[in-house]
Amino acid sequence: FFYFFGNNLFSQSMTFDNFSLENHGKWEFITDQVMGGKSTGNYNFLNENQINFIRLTGMVSLDNNGGFIQVRRKVAHKIKSSFKEILLTARGNNEDYFLHIRTNFTLLPWQYYQTKFTVKKNWRDIRVPLKDFKRSGIFLPNNIKSKDIKSIALVAFGRKHKVLLDVSEIYLVN
């Protein structure tokens, strides 16, 4: 992880991913097919105008109780510093997407914390406070602590639609 000063000169940030080619193997693609769904897709690492990014594409289908595709990266080392938000730079097809966080408390495959974000055609920064993530079940703690995070996922979820999501950077911001 690298440290840098973000938009707020006094906030310290930690790079989660800048999507350089050496990070490609750290991401895992998952669809609802693991439970019988029919959604399809793929992800690639691309470079355009000297910007590295991940591209998630596909079709989310609700057939056979399906409804998601995602690309997920595990946290390589336990996060020692506390942070309050996730900052990502993203673009896409003017649709809603989700960030999912798994923690030490999300033991079952269907447990996660989720928040929605919307992408536009052009690149833009999207700030998501940790407090905005909602738990998927009542048995999970209400709030996420940075030190408990095990993975972060980019997710197309919950409705039939065509997926086109590009993300060039993900930072953890204090």
Side-chain angles (χ1 to χ4, degrees):
F1 292 117
F2 303 100
Y3 288 90
F4 77 103
F5 289 103
N7 292 343
N8 178 346
L9 198 55
F10 300 105
S11 70
Q12 196 173 29
S13 300
M14 184 170 43
T15 302
F16 182 74
D17 208 314
N18 60 5
F19 301 101
S20 59
L21 277 179
E22 64 264 10
N23 290 341
H24 185 273
K26 296 176 182 175
W27 288 84
E28 174 186 19
F29 181 74
I30 305 163
T31 72
D32 57 22
Q33 292 179 15
V34 298
M35 51 189 227
K38 303 289 184 184
S39 299
T40 60
N42 200 353
Y43 79 98
N44 292 294
F45 273 45
L46 302 170
N47 181 291
E48 179 181 286
N49 298 324
Q50 299 184 341
I51 297 172
N52 293 325
F53 60 96
I54 190 171
R55 174 170 284 166
L56 179 63
T57 58
M59 286 296 298
V60 174
S61 169
L62 301 179
D63 293 346
N64 211 25
N65 295 317
F68 76 89
I69 65 173
Q70 71 173 275
V71 62
R72 176 174 65 195
R73 180 177 173 180
K74 293 180 180 172
V75 173
H77 304 286
K78 186 172 182 172
I79 299 171
K80 293 180 181 171
S81 65
S82 180
F83 68 91
K84 293 183 172 85
E85 64 185 2
I86 295 175
L87 170 66
L88 61 146
T89 304
R91 69 178 181 187
N93 58 348
N94 299 314
E95 294 283 352
D96 292 334
Y97 293 97
F98 297 86
L99 284 173
H100 282 191
I101 290 178
R102 291 187 52 82
T103 69
N104 295 329
F105 301 102
T106 55
L107 303 176
L108 301 172
W110 53 84
Q111 294 178 315
Y112 52 85
Y113 291 86
Q114 172 181 275
T115 194
K116 180 168 57 171
F117 65 95
T118 304
V119 293
K120 302 295 181 191
K121 180 181 170 187
N122 295 315
W123 291 110
R124 69 183 185 109
D125 290 341
I126 300 167
R127 290 185 175 270
V128 183
L130 278 186
K131 67 179 181 58
D132 288 355
F133 281 81
K134 304 297 182 219
R135 62 189 179 165
S136 64
I138 61 171
F139 296 112
L140 296 175
N142 282 324
N143 300 311
I144 301 170
K145 293 182 182 171
S146 304
K147 67 180 180 64
D148 293 327
I149 294 176
K150 294 190 326 188
S151 68
I152 297 175
L154 304 166
V155 185
F157 174 78
R159 64 189 180 5
K160 181 179 177 178
H161 69 285
K162 184 176 181 178
V163 176
L164 176 59
L165 173 63
D166 295 341
V167 177
S168 66
E169 300 170 313
I170 300 176
Y171 295 104
L172 311 178
V173 182
N174 289 346

